[in-house]
Amino acid sequence: DNPVEYVQKRIEPLDDFGSATVAVSNLLIDLAFDRKSATLNTILGFVNGVLTNYQQGTDGACDPRSKDGALSMMTSLSSALMSRKSPISGTLPNFLLTHVVPEFKSKYGFLRARALDTYCRYSSVTFPSKQVSNTVFESVFGLLHDPELPVRVHAALALEPMIEDEENRDTLARHLPQVMQVFLNLTNEIDSDTIAHVIEEFVEVFADRMAPFAVELAQQLRDTFMRVMGDVAANQPDPATANMDDVGEKTMAAMGVLKTMGTLVLNLEGSPEVVYKLEEVVFPIAQFVLDQRIIDLYDEVFEILDCCLFAVKSVSPNAWNLFGTIYSCFKNDGIDFIEEMLPTLDDYVSYGMDVVATNNDVQARLFDIIESVMKSDRVGENECMCACKLAETVMLHGRGKVDGMIPGFISLAAAYLLVGDAIKTTPFLVHALEVVLNALYYNPVITLNVLEQYQWTEGIFTRLVQSAD
């Protein structure tokens, strides 16, 4: 009665973890693996009997639920039956062609969905001829437009392994905008990160064909993301009455959409003009997530920003407008996410040094980020290494342009290097020393003046020699 719930329980096993169906399926798997010699042939004999009776029976005598159960058993046993030691590995093509593929045209929607799910689990099976494979592909492709939602979802999942075939890719490429639209519609209907993963896979495989409609695709992904986050917000006002499982599922769906957008941007690295247009779609999403402090999505958001800046190898005015939001996010609770932020901050410095070198406010914010991490008792040495890396990037890309930042960098490193037990791990020691070495490379005169001024020269160089030994 509820297609969405039906789909979610099928494709998200944890949603149905406590059900009798999952318990029986797990028991069946345990028997097949742990008591294989005593039980597997008996189980397969039972399944074969059900499938044969259904195949030979008349319409009135056939019970589609029995066949659904038999195919469900075969789905559960796929890992055991696909192994090299499987007693029926050689008969699997015939099993699929005789008992699974014909049900793609079943008059029962639940049986069409079950057949697609079963085929998907056995998708690596090789059919006897290319013609047969093409026929199966065409059948699955056609079911993307089935009237039943569960069938369309399972057709989308079944198509994913099929894109490994070059001929199938050519067919899908000709209908790519329509196929992607079906996937987006499914994402909107069921809010599942599973479909988002399929979209991400298609974006990666068909990257060279995405450019003409990449902006439109990104806009639809943005709309899907904002709708999902609106649903999450609607559940947040009263935690006592909120459906937290639903909130978690929708957050995962939003995460999947963001990952797809990141993949889309990354695969358009060779088309900077398209990526600049994508920034107009992507940056407002980043702004929303950071302003609302949705920490569950920080990782995906900073990955997208990194992809955008890396793809165009420059920092646009829109990106600089977002830098203030990133800094505010850091000052609120972002210090715990400095590892996720680092690639994006590194891009701002590497590709935006023209602004960094001439904007004292940007320099002050970058230094504050580095200093806050190095002096914080909330973070560990991994985070401090991130701060060192960012300082090193500033010095390497801003040589001769950021003289005022150098004494501060040296002081932050010296605070650890000159205290015997302040550094616990070798990697952090290496990065702290590299800050000083990069300062020497940046400007030996400034660096030595600072070391002499505070009488750090002997201590720093002694630590350097000891580390070299």
Side-chain angles (χ1 to χ4, degrees), residues 180-200:
M180 298 302 287
Q181 187 62 57
V182 170
F183 291 165
L184 288 167
N185 292 342
L186 290 175
T187 301
N188 284 324
E189 288 184 81
I190 66 171
D191 292 339
S192 170
D193 62 320
T194 305
I195 297 298
H197 176 74
V198 176
I199 298 176
E200 185 178 359

Side-chain angles (χ1 to χ4, degrees), residues 258-271:
L258 291 180
K259 287 180 179 178
T260 302
M261 295 184 79
T263 301
L264 178 63
V265 174
L266 189 61
N267 283 284
L268 289 168
E269 183 184 349
S271 305

Side-chain angles (χ1 to χ4, degrees), residues 46-194:
F46 172 78
V47 170
N48 186 59
V50 173
L51 295 176
T52 301
N53 289 339
Y54 186 90
Q55 182 186 22
Q56 294 175 349
T58 60
D59 258 358
C62 293
D63 180 8
R65 290 174 300 180
S66 295
K67 180 157 190 180
D68 180 73
L71 293 181
S72 177
M73 292 175 71
M74 290 296 289
T75 299
S76 298
L77 294 171
S78 59
S79 295
L81 300 179
M82 292 282 288
S83 68
R84 288 181 297 175
K85 296 182 179 180
S86 167
I88 65 165
S89 58
T91 65
L92 288 176
N94 185 59
F95 156 70
L96 292 174
L97 293 173
T98 304
H99 301 295
V100 178
V101 174
E103 298 306 332
F104 290 170
K105 298 180 180 179
S106 171
K107 62 182 180 180
Y108 303 105
F110 70 88
L111 206 48
R112 296 197 297 276
R114 177 68 72 186
L116 285 164
D117 186 31
T118 305
Y119 168 77
C120 194
R121 299 297 182 91
Y122 292 91
S123 58
S124 60
V125 170
T126 303
F127 288 116
S129 71
K130 185 63 179 173
Q131 184 177 0
V132 171
S133 298
N134 290 342
T135 302
V136 173
F137 167 75
E138 289 168 6
S139 298
V140 173
F141 183 64
L143 289 172
L144 279 179
H145 303 285
D146 192 275
E148 300 290 345
L149 173 63
V151 178
R152 297 197 300 275
V153 170
H154 282 290
L157 297 177
L159 276 179
E160 184 180 1
M162 289 182 155
I163 58 178
E164 295 179 6
D165 182 274
E166 185 175 352
E167 199 168 320
N168 292 345
R169 285 201 300 272
D170 290 341
T171 301
L172 287 167
R174 292 195 293 272
H175 302 90
L176 196 56
Q178 295 85 352
V179 171
M180 298 302 287
Q181 187 62 57
V182 170
F183 291 165
L184 288 167
N185 292 342
L186 290 175
T187 301
N188 284 324
E189 288 184 81
I190 66 171
D191 292 339
S192 170
D193 62 320
T194 305

Side-chain angles (χ1 to χ4, degrees), residues 215-380:
V215 176
E216 182 182 355
L217 175 59
Q219 289 169 340
Q220 294 188 54
L221 288 169
R222 174 203 59 199
D223 295 342
T224 297
F225 174 83
M226 296 307 296
R227 180 190 59 75
V228 171
M229 294 314 299
D231 292 343
V232 171
N235 275 290
Q236 295 291 7
D238 186 1
T241 59
N243 183 341
M244 298 314 293
D245 287 339
D246 189 46
V247 170
E249 289 169 4
K250 290 184 180 296
T251 302
M252 289 296 292
M255 202 175 290
V257 172
L258 291 180
K259 287 180 179 178
T260 302
M261 295 184 79
T263 301
L264 178 63
V265 174
L266 189 61
N267 283 284
L268 289 168
E269 183 184 349
S271 305
E273 68 285 352
V274 178
V275 176
Y276 279 124
K277 293 178 182 177
L278 290 177
E279 286 186 354
E280 298 175 7
V281 180
V282 169
F283 286 175
I285 292 177
Q287 182 94 36
F288 171 81
V289 171
L290 299 179
D291 283 343
Q292 299 298 315
R293 297 168 68 175
I294 308 173
I295 60 176
D296 289 339
L297 301 178
Y298 279 5
D299 194 6
E300 285 71 28
V301 161
F302 284 114
E303 185 174 348
I304 290 176
L305 295 179
D306 177 35
C307 289
C308 286
L309 298 176
F310 180 78
V312 297
K313 305 292 191 296
S314 67
V315 183
S316 67
N318 285 336
W320 277 118
N321 290 337
L322 193 61
F323 181 74
T325 303
I326 295 172
Y327 177 71
S328 298
C329 168
F330 173 84
K331 296 300 288 183
N332 287 325
D333 49 27
I335 192 169
D336 297 319
F337 300 90
I338 186 62
E339 289 188 74
E340 288 79 7
M341 289 182 172
L342 178 62
T344 299
L345 294 173
D346 190 278
D347 290 336
Y348 271 100
V349 174
S350 301
Y351 306 126
M353 182 47 69
D354 55 332
V355 172
V356 174
T358 56
N359 191 313
N360 291 333
D361 184 53
V362 171
Q363 289 184 27
R365 289 178 173 184
L366 285 170
F367 185 81
D368 184 44
I369 291 172
I370 295 166
E371 182 181 41
S372 297
V373 174
M374 293 291 281
K375 291 184 174 181
S376 174
D377 56 4
R378 285 174 52 182
V379 300

